[in-house]
Amino acid sequence: MTERADQFSITLAQLNPTVGDVAGNATKVRAARARARADGADLVVLSELFIAGYPPEDLVLKPAFQSACRAAVEELARETADGGPAVLVGTPWVDDGKLYNACVFLDEGRIAAIRYKVNLPNYGVFDEKRVFARGPASGPVAIRGVRVGVPICEDTWLEESAEYENIVECLAETGAEILVVPNGSPYARGKADIRLSVSVARVTESGLPLVYLNQVGGQDELVFDGASFALNADLSVAAQLPAFEESITTLRWKREAGGWRCNGPVASVLDDDKADYAACVLGLRDYVGKNGFPGVLLGVSGGIDSALCAAIAVDALGADR
């Protein structure tokens, strides 16, 4: 039987994956794990479908890409035999002929557990029902003496209905002590408040602390703002990571009479016009960089819109590009 832990350190790797760059994304996992190890962390967490990059769209339907993601995960799993931190990382995963949006738990040189996304979004920019199979509801994962629930993104977002299972309730009933939620949640004005209210509702229902890890970066027309956070069971903010930039932050949780609690760093987060501008800058930078373009060409009329576009381009790429 695993000994009960009284301290638990989680490294949040709020990073910028590139869709299709399996090797590059795996390299980012290794770098994050090295930081986590230096911090003495038990676990390092990466965002939804990180190995593939998010959203991978039809790329995940290609068998060669599925195999590349699996091979990268298996290699990362073998590397955890060194006694360092365990890893929770998102990846597409084929099981019994079905393709899932999965989060794999890597520890002691092996794939120790796999959790599948149950509630697949099918609205707005999301069409996951088209490419992924619905996973089964599962209980928590035992990580270094702590039972960690791993609902994936949409599994925390909507109330229970005929279409949606209450995954958080299932995890609470099966003994979860902390909820760790990997996300690929794109930016929109006011989105941070919506995420917080959704998470507050899940903490209130379950009585469990919650770690919300979001990716950062631009992908086509979407921008992911990061702005990851954690809530204690009493709804106080345990930590807040910055928005629109990569961040690797280790949170140290302690078991108290009422459960797990953390007092981590709280960064200030941009909102309204400043956040919109930061999203434009990040989106342009990644669109140019991830597509390998040398720079951009601007036709400037002298109007306010041209001036704004020029300012965004300079802030994103530098004046020389």
Side-chain angles (χ1 to χ4, degrees):
M1 183 175 176
T2 305
E3 185 179 344
R4 195 174 93 142
D6 292 317
Q7 298 190 28
F8 189 54
S9 294
I10 305 174
T11 297
L12 304 186
Q14 175 180 291
L15 298 178
N16 186 346
T18 297
V19 170
D21 185 8
V22 175
N25 296 338
T27 296
K28 282 180 172 280
V29 176
R30 291 186 179 95
R33 185 168 182 266
R35 275 281 301 277
R37 183 169 195 157
D39 285 352
D42 298 294
L43 173 69
V44 58
V45 183
L46 296 106
S47 52
E48 180 179 13
L49 290 175
F50 188 87
I51 293 295
Y54 188 82
E57 303 287 353
D58 289 18
L59 194 55
V60 291
L61 299 176
K62 295 181 178 293
F65 185 71
Q66 297 166 4
S67 297
C69 291
R70 189 182 193 108
V73 166
E74 289 172 344
E75 179 62 29
L76 289 168
R78 285 190 286 272
E79 293 169 15
T80 63
D82 62 6
V87 178
L88 271 175
V89 61
T91 184
W93 196 260
V94 178
D95 184 25
D96 196 23
K98 293 181 178 180
L99 176 64
Y100 296 98
N101 180 336
C103 189
V104 292
F105 170 49
L106 314 178
D107 197 20
E108 298 180 339
R110 63 195 177 97
I111 299 170
I114 304 176
R115 291 296 180 264
Y116 299 132
K117 191 172 183 177
V118 180
N119 298 315
L120 303 175
N122 202 47
Y123 56 88
V125 300
F126 304 107
D127 61 350
E128 289 190 32
K129 285 185 178 179
R130 186 175 60 84
V131 292
F132 292 114
R134 180 186 181 95
S138 302
V141 178
I143 303 176
R144 310 288 167 94
V146 182
R147 295 187 300 276
V148 178
V150 190
I152 302 172
C153 199
E154 192 78 1
D155 287 340
T156 68
W157 270 78
L158 295 180
E159 304 295 336
E160 187 171 11
S161 67
E163 285 279 307
Y164 279 75
E165 287 189 58
N166 192 329
I167 301 305
V168 170
E169 181 182 67
C170 173
L171 288 165
E173 290 175 349
T174 50
E177 299 172 70
I178 298 178
L179 300 173
V180 174
V181 191
N183 292 270
S185 177
Y187 170 77
R189 182 178 281 216
K191 192 69 166 289
D193 290 340
I194 296 172
R195 292 183 194 130
L196 184 60
S197 66
V198 165
S199 297
V200 163
R202 300 296 86 81
V203 172
T204 301
E205 290 169 1
S206 65
L208 299 175
L210 182 149
V211 177
Y212 184 104
L213 176 70
N214 193 27
Q215 78 171 39
V216 66
Q219 174 59 32
D220 294 331
E221 77 279 17
L222 300 179
V223 178
F224 299 88
D225 55 321
S228 305
F229 60 89
L231 297 173
N232 290 308
D234 64 2
L235 302 180
S236 61
V237 175
Q240 174 67 63
L241 273 58
F244 302 106
E245 63 185 73
E246 291 189 314
S247 176
I248 298 177
T249 302
T250 298
L251 305 183
R252 305 193 187 281
W253 296 81
K254 292 184 178 180
R255 189 192 295 275
E256 298 181 351
W260 290 96
R261 186 172 185 85
C262 172
N263 292 302
V266 178
S268 59
V269 177
L270 301 174
D271 56 15
D272 299 333
D273 290 347
K274 289 182 179 179
D276 290 352
Y277 187 85
C280 290
V281 169
L282 179 57
L284 177 61
R285 181 185 297 136
D286 277 357
Y287 184 77
V288 172
K290 290 179 178 180
N291 283 295
F293 299 143
V296 297
L297 183 65
L298 287 173
V300 179
S301 67
I304 292 173
D305 52 346
S306 294
L308 180 59
C309 288
I312 290 170
V314 171
D315 283 349
L317 307 171
D320 58 325
R321 298 178 69 196

